[in-house]
Amino acid sequence: MKLTVVGGGSTYTPELIDGFARLRDTLPITELVLVDPAADRLDLVGGLARRIFAKQDHEGRITTTSDLDAGVDGADAVLLQLRVGGQAAREQDETWPLECGCVGQETTGAGGLAKALRTVPVVLDIAERVRRANPDAWIIDFTNPVGIVTRALLQAGHKAVGLCNVAIGFQRKFARLLGVAPSEVHLDHVGLNHLTWERAVRIGGPEGENVLPRLLAEHGDAIADDLRLPRPVLDRLGVVPSYYLRYFYAHDEVVRELGTKPSRAAEVAAMEKELLEMYGDPALDEKPALLAKRGGAFYSEAAVDLAASLLGGGGSPYQVVNTYNNGTLPFLPDDAVIETQAAVGAHGAAPLPVAPVDPLYAGLVANVTAYEDLALEAALRGGRDRVFKALLAHPLVGQYAYADELTDRLIAHNWEHLAWA
């Protein structure tokens, strides 16, 4: 089995490599190719990757290349984890929206739109080259904003499934609090990428006992602290929102906070510099502890599980993924991309039936879906007016004066990545 990682020079990659090594019985990789245009980073990450495989007696071969076409040739699956513009672009995404009093974040709001505009054309070009090399290959998208990028891939007819680590993070956390194996925890996870709620936590499968009320009663303070939301909010809602919901539920508070401290991009950039120095140590043969602070917890387990199921292996029968709605949420178009529990196999991902969604959540999901429609249109066709309309539709912007100013700032900071600008 050949697997290719586009963006293989990322500091995330050793987390992925560690999962491939530990879970080789689930996903028996014979060849792993890391593709990245940054040759210096790729050499460091590739060297550590080989040492991790060697330490764990994995017999798979790891190669590195900056030649995308060579890297994807013959691949059974291609995992996308790229960041167009690097951390410098992320730094901008997180700062210039604050100048207008709006949240600066890399996956939602104005910053998230900027990332989508930079990313969608690049990902579609990569996907076309994958299709030419091997039309049967699966594309697993971990590149943010996952919902918009996955929708772009699916609309272009690619065999693609989107992946995020939020759900598996909750699964692992709840399993630890309940004292059960993670495989026993089934989430009623509903919404869009980075806009989801856990409405039930079931033990043993989709029809198992819902223990969410007990979790909130016994561990509500710890869960609320992790989400940085007040405990009474969780008690009143009776659900566990994704931590990204804080940008919506406490927007003004978050804006004030972000204006008083360094950006997350600056923190990550400093961390990446330290990590790359570590990766260059020929004695290092395991992922360093610092990597856990970089983000992406349990990313490797989720990626292995999904790839194994798509390629006919031993992955879990039910997984939280990003895929077409196809009637699952009746208030959304069929071609909206939702994030939900799905039956995953060689056929792809088929969402499981979902209980009716409370208007409190359905309204926000419908609003953000409309924004994503407009964001994808702007990413595919360009133009200032399309960018303006997407921003005006976003609930974190929503006022014409803000949308107008943010449009100008977005284009000014991203023109080199926008062919139409």
Side-chain angles (χ1 to χ4, degrees):
M1 179 186 299
K2 178 178 179 179
L3 190 71
T4 299
V5 180
V6 178
S10 168
T11 54
Y12 268 135
T13 300
E15 163 69 26
L16 191 62
I17 300 299
D18 178 73
F20 289 158
R22 289 185 293 103
L23 303 172
R24 56 185 173 272
D25 290 340
T26 302
L27 188 67
I29 297 171
T30 55
E31 182 179 1
L32 177 64
V33 183
L34 306 181
V35 179
D36 204 293
D40 52 344
R41 293 171 63 108
L42 193 57
D43 286 344
L44 295 173
V45 173
L48 175 57
R50 295 185 189 95
R51 295 192 296 273
I52 291 174
F53 263 32
K55 182 179 181 179
Q56 300 197 34
D57 295 323
H58 195 299
E59 296 180 354
R61 181 167 67 101
I62 297 178
T63 60
T64 61
T65 182
S66 57
D67 185 334
L68 176 66
D69 294 317
V72 302
D73 185 38
D76 297 290
V78 177
L79 196 151
L80 305 180
Q81 57 169 29
L82 56 140
R83 182 183 296 278
V84 179
Q87 292 299 329
R90 177 179 179 174
E91 169 78 18
Q92 294 179 354
D93 294 344
E94 294 179 348
T95 51
W96 55 263
L98 294 174
E99 297 166 5
C100 300
C102 296
V103 160
Q105 213 278 327
E106 64 158 341
T107 64
T108 191
L113 176 60
K115 193 172 195 301
L117 297 181
R118 294 192 305 268
T119 303
V120 166
V122 174
V123 165
L124 289 178
D125 176 66
I126 292 169
E128 280 300 326
R129 292 159 76 173
V130 171
R131 180 155 54 189
R132 288 199 299 267
N134 182 6
D136 293 326
W138 279 102
I139 296 176
I140 298 173
D141 176 53
F142 196 70
T143 295
N144 281 319
V146 167
I148 295 173
V149 173
T150 302
R151 186 169 180 180
L153 288 166
L154 291 173
Q155 285 188 176
H158 298 290
K159 292 178 61 177
V161 180
L163 182 64
C164 181
N165 69 324
V166 167
I168 195 172
F170 276 131
Q171 182 199 45
R172 297 299 199 267
K173 183 190 304 291
F174 296 156
R176 185 174 68 253
L177 293 174
L178 294 166
V180 301
S183 59
E184 289 294 300
V185 175
H186 182 92
L187 302 176
D188 178 1
H189 178 103
V190 66
L192 311 176
N193 179 242
H194 290 184
L195 194 83
T196 52
W197 297 263
E198 312 304 331
R199 300 186 302 170
V201 178
R202 302 190 183 278
I203 302 299
E207 306 302 323
E209 176 193 3
N210 178 20
V211 297
L212 180 56
R214 174 156 64 93
L215 267 173
L216 289 174
E218 296 177 1
H219 304 286
D221 287 342
I223 295 170
D225 285 347
D226 285 347
L227 299 174
R228 301 188 64 201
L229 287 171
R231 166 73 185 270
V233 171
L234 299 191
D235 291 338
R236 292 169 70 182
L237 295 178
V239 302
V240 177
S242 156
Y243 49 83
Y244 287 92
L245 264 298
R246 186 168 184 263
Y247 297 117
F248 296 82
Y249 291 164
H251 175 273
D252 294 352
E253 178 183 343
V254 171
V255 169
R256 287 192 296 270
E257 286 178 5
L258 293 176
T260 63
K261 63 181 184 179
S263 68
R264 174 63 177 165
E267 295 175 355
V268 169
M271 218 177 299
E272 286 198 334
K273 182 179 180 181
E274 188 175 352
L275 283 168
L276 288 170
E277 290 175 356
M278 292 179 176
Y279 296 170
D281 179 358
L284 183 66
D285 57 7
E286 60 186 13
K287 63 177 183 179
L290 178 62
L291 187 55
K293 297 180 180 180
R294 171 67 179 83
F298 308 114
Y299 159 39
S300 60
E301 284 90 340
V304 167
D305 209 14
L306 179 54
S309 292
L310 293 174
L311 298 175
S316 304
Y318 305 120
Q319 299 172 42
V320 173
V321 297
N322 286 260
T323 191
Y324 270 152
N325 177 45
N326 281 339
T328 307
L329 301 181
F331 56 90
L332 295 183
D334 284 351
D335 66 350
V337 165
I338 62 173
E339 184 171 290
T340 190
Q341 286 278 3
V344 183
H347 61 279
L352 300 182
V354 170
V357 179
D358 189 293
L360 179 61
Y361 314 124
L364 186 53
V365 168
N367 189 338
V368 175
T369 297
Y371 151 76
E372 291 190 347
D373 288 347
L374 294 167
L376 183 54
E377 183 76 1
L380 294 174
R381 300 179 62 191
R384 187 188 187 281
D385 284 350
R386 293 188 180 92
V387 174
F388 170 80
K389 289 176 182 177
L391 287 168
L392 188 61
H394 201 296
L396 296 182
V397 180
Q399 298 183 53
Y400 73 84
Y402 286 167
D404 226 14
E405 185 173 354
L406 287 167
T407 297
D408 289 338
R409 290 175 185 266
L410 185 155
I411 294 171
H413 284 284
N414 291 275
W415 63 268
E416 63 189 294
H417 299 291
L418 307 176
W420 51 268

